Amino acid sequence: SQKIEQNSEALNIQEGKTATLTCNYTNYSPAYLQWYRQDPGRGPVFLLLIRENEKEKRKERLKVTFDTTLKQSLFHITASQPADSATYLCAYESGNTPLVFGKGTRLSVIA
Amino acid sequence: DADVTQTPRNRITKTGKRIMLECSQTKGHDRMYWYRQDPGLGLRLIYYSFDVKDINKGEISDGYSVSRQAQAKFSLSLESAIPNQTALYFCATSDLTATKGELFFGEGSRLTVL
């Protein structure tokens, strides 16, 4: 079956450092991967999308990479701030199917 | 006003009761979804609808039903609620014609079944 995994349930990082979150997938080739941010008790909010033919996508302090050989996407937050503390979800879609989400990584940025 | 509105935001009910969670959207999107979120299990798809006449089961549809009353409205029903349906429920929408396919989520409906 198709699976998408986020390796770390939680990640603690010092303010100012770069946070790197990992998303791995197996048994399929997604057309694209998406990353969302979710704050406690709130709905997820879309951040970035990267297509299978793109290696890297950037938005302000955020960067996403997509390695189809490793079947992995990395999500980076540079110069992290306490306000970046949240749960980050990766999701894939292959063909005309709804998004399938990973379980998320809870990021805590410590001042 | 929120683009995707869910009601109620919080509900406590008893085992065996019928519950309806409602979702309405002002984004004009054709596609609507119901997800359930549990600690440690992430977001799981219950039902989805790609247009008014289209209803599809998701990963965990047992014990749930849906109704797409209009393009803007998609409701989720629990005919006879049970305690393991206690969860945070999210409605989401997406645009059929968008190149991104990103989802827009509501603020969630927290359901507790005693």
Side-chain angles (χ1 to χ4, degrees), chain A residues 3-62:
Chain A
K3 288 179 64 175
I4 187 164
E5 294 180 348
Q6 296 185 248
N7 292 352
S8 299
E9 189 174 316
L11 178 66
N12 296 326
I13 194 163
Q14 206 71 32
E15 182 177 8
K17 301 292 187 183
T18 296
T20 298
L21 285 62
T22 304
C23 181
N24 294 292
Y25 58 92
T26 57
N27 300 335
Y28 63 93
S29 296
Y32 52 80
L33 286 167
Q34 300 187 19
W35 285 88
Y36 289 76
R37 169 181 172 143
Q38 185 176 23
D39 292 290
R42 307 292 298 274
V45 175
F46 172 80
L47 295 174
L48 281 168
L49 174 149
I50 186 164
R51 302 182 193 283
E52 60 181 336
N53 61 349
E54 297 175 320
K55 292 244 189 283
E56 181 179 298
K57 191 72 91 54
R58 291 177 184 260
K59 178 183 175 183
E60 297 172 354
R61 293 184 296 111
L62 309 180

Side-chain angles (χ1 to χ4, degrees), chain A residues 9 32 34 36 38 41-47 49 51 87 89 93 96-104, chain B residues 9 31 33 35 37 40-43 45 48 50 88 90 96 99-108 110:
Chain A
E9 189 174 316
Y32 52 80
Q34 300 187 19
Y36 289 76
Q38 185 176 23
R42 307 292 298 274
V45 175
F46 172 80
L47 295 174
L49 174 149
R51 302 182 193 283
T87 296
L89 308 170
E93 179 177 336
N96 201 27
T97 57
L99 283 180
V100 176
F101 286 84
K103 295 178 182 179
Chain B
R9 292 294 312 281
R31 299 182 171 192
Y33 312 81
Y35 285 89
Q37 189 171 42
L41 294 179
L43 281 164
L45 183 66
Y48 63 101
F50 280 179
L88 185 56
F90 287 103
L96 173 66
T99 56
K100 282 186 177 181
E102 67 189 89
L103 294 189
F104 295 84
F105 284 85
E107 289 297 319
R110 185 171 295 283

Side-chain angles (χ1 to χ4, degrees), chain B residues 30-91:
Chain B
D30 290 307
R31 299 182 171 192
M32 298 187 74
Y33 312 81
W34 276 103
Y35 285 89
R36 166 181 172 160
Q37 189 171 42
D38 298 271
L41 294 179
L43 281 164
R44 293 181 293 165
L45 183 66
I46 307 172
Y47 270 96
Y48 63 101
S49 170
F50 280 179
D51 64 45
V52 174
K53 296 180 181 178
D54 176 71
I55 300 289
N56 303 282
K57 292 182 177 180
E59 178 188 359
I60 53 163
S61 59
D62 286 349
Y64 302 94
S65 62
V66 290
S67 174
R68 185 81 185 265
Q69 301 96 322
Q71 186 203 38
K73 296 185 182 297
F74 192 37
S75 59
L76 176 72
S77 293
L78 288 68
E79 295 302 325
S80 180
I82 56 177
N84 76 1
Q85 291 178 313
T86 293
L88 185 56
Y89 291 85
F90 287 103
C91 174

